[in-house]
Amino acid sequence: MHKKVKVKPNSKQQKIEEQPDGSLTVHLKSPPVDGKANEELIKLLSDKFDVPKSYITIKSGLSSRQKLVEIDKEG
C-alpha cells in the first residue's frame, strides 16, 4: 500500500491526520536534521498501521516534506 504523506517537523505534539483524499499529514516533534524526522515518521506509521518498522519504506521525498511511503502489510 502506498500513502502520500505531508510531514510537518518541529511540531509541539505528534499526531497523524488522515485527509479526505486518503493522504496523511503527520506532525513530528523531531527537526528535519540527520534523518531524525524520517525515523520518527517510520515509527509513528508502524504504530498506526500495526506493522514492524522494517515494513515501511520512504519511496520518494527523503529530504522533502512531501513523501511517498510504502507500507507492506505482509512483510
Side-chain angles (χ1 to χ4, degrees), residues 3-65:
K3 284 277 187 192
K4 287 184 182 173
V5 177
K6 182 176 183 183
V7 176
K8 295 191 173 186
N10 293 321
S11 297
K12 286 187 167 68
Q13 62 181 0
Q14 291 179 330
K15 67 179 173 181
I16 298 176
E17 298 172 337
E18 195 140 357
Q19 302 302 316
D21 65 359
S23 68
L24 301 174
T25 300
V26 182
H27 299 262
L28 303 171
K29 289 182 177 180
S30 299
V33 179
D34 297 332
K36 290 188 188 328
N38 287 336
E39 288 174 27
E40 185 182 354
L41 173 65
I42 288 172
K43 181 178 182 333
L44 276 176
L45 291 175
S46 75
D47 291 345
K48 176 175 175 55
F49 292 101
D50 198 28
V51 296
K53 290 189 281 189
S54 60
Y55 286 24
I56 297 175
T57 309
I58 298 174
K59 295 305 242 180
S60 66
L62 270 174
S63 59
S64 168
R65 289 178 187 230

